Amino acid sequence: FCLTRMWVIHFSFVFALAPLFVKTYRLYKLLGVGYVIPRRQTISNARTALMAVPFVAVEVVILLIFTFVDPNRMEDVMEYNESTMTHRVICSYDTWAFFIVQVIYQGGLVLIGCLLAYKTINMQKEYRDNQQLILTMYNVALVGSIILVIANAVEVYQSTMRLIVSAGVLWVTTSSCCVFVLPKLAQIRSRKANAGG
């Protein structure tokens, strides 16, 4: 259970973030930087997908290493409080190495994604994806930072932490989908209305 959770959470995060990161990088490279009219470059969708593979591969290597070197194990915890005894099963590591490596790798991806998104702020208005990318990258950074602070500054049960992480993932996923999908749906509806009358 603990190893599965470790793999699912971290692999899913990078699997979802890699295309967003690549899309931000792609927009940055396609359009150039600054107020100058950019020199267009072509990056195909297939190449974009291939550009996301190394990020996922690095995460898989990290997970494989820690699966064998310092795996996430189930641990029984007995707590005695006056007349009650609480038995909990938690997942734990022997060291902080996995946490540190994940913060450096995943946090670095989010930070670089935010910097790239910021550099696309002043791009021409016809490229509206940059505003959505900026909002999404900053949303991921903000929610991830809040979860990181809660996980390390507040003492909570693992079940509560799982609930907080799940709520954060739900928020980031839902809001990111809405930021990208709702404007496209409104645009399609507007085109249909204009074409019909």
Side-chain angles (χ1 to χ4, degrees), residues 45-63:
N45 289 335
R47 180 151 184 245
T48 302
L50 284 175
M51 290 170 69
V53 170
F55 298 109
V56 176
V58 167
E59 183 63 32
V60 168
V61 168
I62 291 169
L63 289 168

Side-chain angles (χ1 to χ4, degrees), residues 151-163:
N152 293 294
V154 180
E155 190 171 321
V156 294
Y157 290 123
Q158 277 192 351
S159 58
T160 306
M161 196 62 231
R162 278 186 233 130
L163 184 64

Side-chain angles (χ1 to χ4, degrees), residues 38-191:
R39 182 179 63 90
R40 290 192 148 242
Q41 299 178 11
T42 303
I43 301 175
S44 69
N45 289 335
R47 180 151 184 245
T48 302
L50 284 175
M51 290 170 69
V53 170
F55 298 109
V56 176
V58 167
E59 183 63 32
V60 168
V61 168
I62 291 169
L63 289 168
L64 281 172
I65 289 170
F66 282 97
T67 295
F68 296 107
V69 174
D70 186 12
N72 198 352
R73 295 184 185 97
M74 291 177 76
E75 181 181 323
D76 287 320
V77 176
M78 301 288 235
E79 294 176 342
Y80 301 97
N81 188 5
E82 294 180 19
S83 63
T84 62
M85 180 187 82
T86 306
H87 175 252
R88 293 185 297 133
V89 178
I90 63 169
C91 297
S92 66
Y93 299 96
D94 293 333
T95 67
W96 283 83
F98 181 72
F99 173 77
I100 293 168
V101 169
Q102 289 295 3
V103 166
I104 290 169
Y105 180 61
Q106 294 177 359
L109 284 179
V110 171
L111 181 64
I112 292 168
C114 286
L115 290 173
L116 288 173
Y118 176 76
K119 287 187 173 199
T120 66
I121 279 178
N122 296 322
M123 291 191 175
Q124 299 169 3
K125 295 284 184 196
E126 64 196 58
Y127 304 106
R128 294 201 172 118
D129 276 356
N130 68 332
Q131 295 165 345
Q132 295 150 331
L133 285 170
I134 291 168
L135 183 62
T136 302
M137 289 303 292
Y138 289 166
N139 188 26
V140 169
L142 176 67
V143 173
S145 298
I146 290 169
I147 291 172
L148 193 62
V149 167
I150 291 172
N152 293 294
V154 180
E155 190 171 321
V156 294
Y157 290 123
Q158 277 192 351
S159 58
T160 306
M161 196 62 231
R162 278 186 233 130
L163 184 64
I164 292 169
V165 169
S166 298
V169 169
L170 180 65
W171 169 258
V172 167
T173 305
T174 305
S175 61
S176 297
C177 287
C178 288
V179 162
F180 281 102
V181 174
L182 291 180
K184 301 279 186 203
L185 291 175
Q187 188 178 32
I188 291 169
R189 181 175 284 178
S190 174
R191 283 184 192 160

